[in-house]
Amino acid sequence: MRSILSIFAVLVFFSCAEEPKKQPFQSVEITPVFEDSVSVRAITFLDARTLAFAGSNGVYGTVDIRSLQVRSNIQTYDSITPTFRAVGGTTQDFFMLSIESPALLYKTGDKGQMELVYTEEGEGVFYDSLAFWNDSEGIAVGDTVDGCISIIITRDGGNSWTKTPCSDLPEGIEGEGAFAASNSNIAVQEDKVWIGTTAGRVYFSGDKGMTWQIQETPIVSEKPTQGIYSIDFFDENTGFAIGGDYTQPKSNNANKIKTVDGGKTWQLIADGLEPGYKSCVQFVPNTDGEALVAVGFTGISYSFDGGENWQQLSDESFFTLRFLNDSTAFAAGSNRIARLVFE
């Protein structure tokens, strides 16, 4: 009996022992996947095998993650060739949303062609980012129209979209919008959503867009080219946002902020330290909210300590990225999509 108990104790010890902590990244291997004369600022994983994208010149398509085979097509609307900078996906459909007027929101159609499910025309119409809470509910954000930021929401899997009236939103700021730089102005967790704006504010809803409030942040936002370019949440409490000024990309003052209380308070982090301007930031999966990667036309930067310190892993230019797992991501930018393997 004593020997059996001893063996059981050993098994319990090893089963409860912590797994080895993932070592910080030291380098990144970049493999080109798609090269064309198209700017791609919006990518999303539809499942564990498929990356979807959409960009300028009406180009959209998918990448088979295993074979890296690319399938692409061109979407037109009458005589218009749209530019897409926002995409999203459910387990059933892929969605892509164009900038400028008319705003055109497409979903995967039943007949093998993209189906137009929402349009909006008018002065100032310009949509920037798209995300889904689940297979039924999704949200997109655009610039200010008629005195408030533009928010459209679906509750039926993307078949129909409804614009939130200004009366249901916090008071807007003239010219406030979101940067259509990387399809990462919106972060969702459970029922919550955070939207980062050009005014350096965060629109927050804890009930999937039914009610809204403003979270103030200290990020630099004095000029039209400054503000929050990208926001991501690791869980319902830990969030990170990055921005700066793309016209002064080396400036690193007040361009990175972090929250640990769901956005109730935001603090500057790594203020006056690298990196400067970046267009997209994402938490690395399975790192307890400690590891982050930020990309921009200035290269790829990495933090292993929650954003306190950063190192430049590559000078390669990208606009946006999304992680497949805790060591592999896909990134897109000017004329290309690539696979990134961090080591």
Side-chain angles (χ1 to χ4, degrees):
M1 177 66 70
R2 183 182 299 273
S3 61
I4 293 176
L5 291 174
S6 299
I7 293 173
F8 177 76
V10 170
L11 290 174
V12 169
F13 173 79
F14 279 107
S15 65
C16 294
E18 293 185 2
E19 295 182 3
K21 188 173 182 179
K22 187 175 179 64
Q23 294 300 306
F25 297 146
Q26 301 297 323
S27 63
V28 58
E29 178 184 347
I30 301 172
T31 302
V33 172
F34 175 74
E35 295 180 322
D36 200 350
S37 56
V38 56
S39 174
V40 180
R41 294 179 179 269
I43 57 177
T44 189
F45 289 105
L46 298 182
D47 53 42
R49 184 167 179 169
T50 308
L51 178 79
F53 66 91
S56 61
N57 304 326
V59 175
Y60 69 98
T62 60
V63 179
D64 184 298
I65 293 168
R66 299 176 187 176
S67 67
L68 300 185
Q69 181 181 3
V70 178
R71 299 177 185 272
S72 64
N73 207 338
I74 295 177
Q75 183 67 51
T76 59
Y77 176 78
D78 293 336
S79 60
I80 300 172
T81 302
T83 291
F84 298 103
R85 293 193 185 179
V87 299
T90 66
T91 58
Q92 301 297 320
D93 291 299
F94 167 62
F95 296 79
M96 57 189 190
L97 175 60
S98 70
I99 59 172
E100 300 177 330
S101 179
L104 306 168
L105 177 52
Y106 290 89
K107 69 180 284 288
T108 309
D110 297 329
K111 300 179 180 179
Q113 294 182 331
M114 299 300 287
E115 175 187 350
L116 186 62
V117 292
Y118 181 81
T119 61
E120 184 179 339
E121 296 186 46
E123 184 178 354
V125 171
F126 196 108
Y127 280 88
D128 309 283
S129 192
L130 172 66
F132 278 84
W133 286 284
N134 51 50
D135 277 356
S136 297
E137 297 161 298
I139 182 171
V141 62
D143 295 349
T144 290
V145 173
D146 297 330
C148 71
I149 199 168
S150 298
I151 292 177
I152 59 174
I153 292 177
T154 180
R155 307 287 185 189
D156 61 3
N159 292 309
S160 63
W161 296 74
T162 302
K163 189 167 185 178
T164 302
C166 290
S167 58
D168 291 346
L169 292 171
E171 183 177 353
I173 295 176
E174 184 178 357
E176 185 176 24
F179 292 108
S182 60
N183 192 43
S184 59
N185 308 108
I186 304 173
V188 296
Q189 288 284 339
E190 300 297 333
D191 293 347
K192 299 179 180 180
V193 58
W194 298 262
I195 299 173
T197 78
T198 58
R201 306 197 300 172
V202 174
Y203 282 66
F204 170 74
S205 173
D207 51 15
K208 297 179 181 175
M210 300 297 292
T211 60
W212 292 90
Q213 63 188 70
I214 293 293
Q215 297 176 346
E216 301 288 349
T217 85
I219 202 166
V220 62
S221 58
E222 299 172 355
K223 301 177 181 179
T225 51
Q226 298 172 335
I228 297 173
Y229 277 78
S230 179
I231 187 170
D232 192 29
F233 270 74
F234 182 78
D235 54 31
E236 292 186 279
N237 294 312
T238 305
F240 198 96
I242 199 165
D245 189 336
Y246 77 89
T247 66
Q248 299 178 19
K250 292 185 179 180
S251 176
N252 52 29
N253 293 319
N255 75 314
K256 299 173 287 292
I257 55 175
K258 184 177 182 179
T259 180
V260 294
D261 57 12
K264 295 177 183 177
T265 59
W266 292 85
Q267 292 80 35
L268 291 174
I269 191 167
D271 190 17
L273 302 176
E274 295 301 321
Y277 165 77
K278 297 293 181 184
S279 56
C280 184
V281 66
Q282 296 284 287
F283 281 98
V284 182
N286 303 321
T287 60
D288 294 326
E290 291 297 315
L292 295 134
V293 172
V295 302
F297 63 78
T298 54
I300 304 170
S301 294
Y302 165 67
S303 173
F304 63 89
D305 58 3
E308 294 281 355
N309 296 279
W310 295 77
Q311 65 183 97
Q312 183 96 341
L313 293 182
S314 172
D315 294 331
E316 293 282 347
S317 171
F318 292 101
F319 297 145
T320 189
L321 93 159
R322 295 292 186 276
F323 274 91
L324 176 64
N325 52 46
D326 57 16
S327 60
T328 302
F330 280 72
S334 180
N335 305 326
R336 64 172 177 165
I337 298 172
R339 181 181 64 192
L340 279 54
V341 177
F342 294 89
E343 299 175 337

